[in-house]
Amino acid sequence: MLRINIPGRKDIILKYLVLDMNGTIAIEGHISEETISQINTLAEKLEVFVLTADTFGKAREACSSINAKLVIMDPARPGGQTKAEFVEKLGAEFTAALGNGYNDRLMLKKAALGILVLEEEGCSAHSLLAADVVVRNIRDGLNLLLKPKRLVATLRD
Ligand SMILES: [Mg+2]
């Protein structure tokens, strides 16, 4: 559990971390050692899920050393709806979500904390408007949770 007190808002109590894979934690299906290490540190406090349509067919291998549950989505269903339903089922009020694509917009909006990652693949402008915070890259995004004071400075009223 991770409790974040932000002046002017209700405390954010996080239990879950939901991560989009491609364009967010992975670039062309590859996840850096640094990202793996950051996620595994967060996994000591939060239950972590990686959601993907597995576009590159590398998800299982890429996530093998991450302490997270890999959720491969049904490609026949719209990804945005699937991701939003997943977050709702977990408990959106206890969830931090990180994503970059158009199909992340609904989960970013529903989550207690939605973080939009720009990274090398860019991001959807729709998802950008649905997020609470926008970061340049996944390192900065995960650091907001590892060093929550940074988040407080950005979100306080
Ligand atoms: Mg993506």
Side-chain angles (χ1 to χ4, degrees), residues 57-98:
K58 293 179 185 167
R60 219 164 278 284
E61 193 192 328
C63 292
S64 60
S65 53
I66 296 180
N67 188 6
K69 185 161 186 253
L70 179 66
V71 181
I72 295 177
M73 304 186 301
D74 179 357
R77 296 194 65 218
Q81 200 60 42
T82 304
K83 287 176 167 181
E85 283 169 15
F86 186 84
V87 164
E88 269 186 338
K89 219 169 165 184
L90 273 182
E93 71 271 40
F94 300 115
T95 301
L98 277 84

Side-chain angles (χ1 to χ4, degrees), residues 98-152:
L98 277 84
N100 77 312
Y102 181 71
N103 69 13
D104 295 316
R105 70 199 185 283
L106 300 172
M107 77 163 184
L108 290 172
K109 196 171 182 69
K110 282 180 191 293
L113 183 65
I115 302 174
L116 190 282
V117 177
L118 187 56
E119 272 296 357
E120 294 175 37
E121 295 185 14
C123 71
S124 154
H126 295 271
S127 296
L128 186 144
L129 293 174
D132 295 291
V133 191
V134 178
V135 291
R136 291 173 300 180
N137 53 48
I138 187 63
R139 179 205 285 144
D140 292 350
L142 294 170
N143 267 339
L144 291 180
L145 298 169
L146 291 165
K147 304 171 184 182
K149 282 213 167 89
R150 292 185 180 186
L151 199 55
V152 175

Side-chain angles (χ1 to χ4, degrees), residues 20-24 83 100-101 104:
D20 163 56
M21 185 161 163
N22 290 310
T24 300
K83 287 176 167 181
N100 77 312
D104 295 316

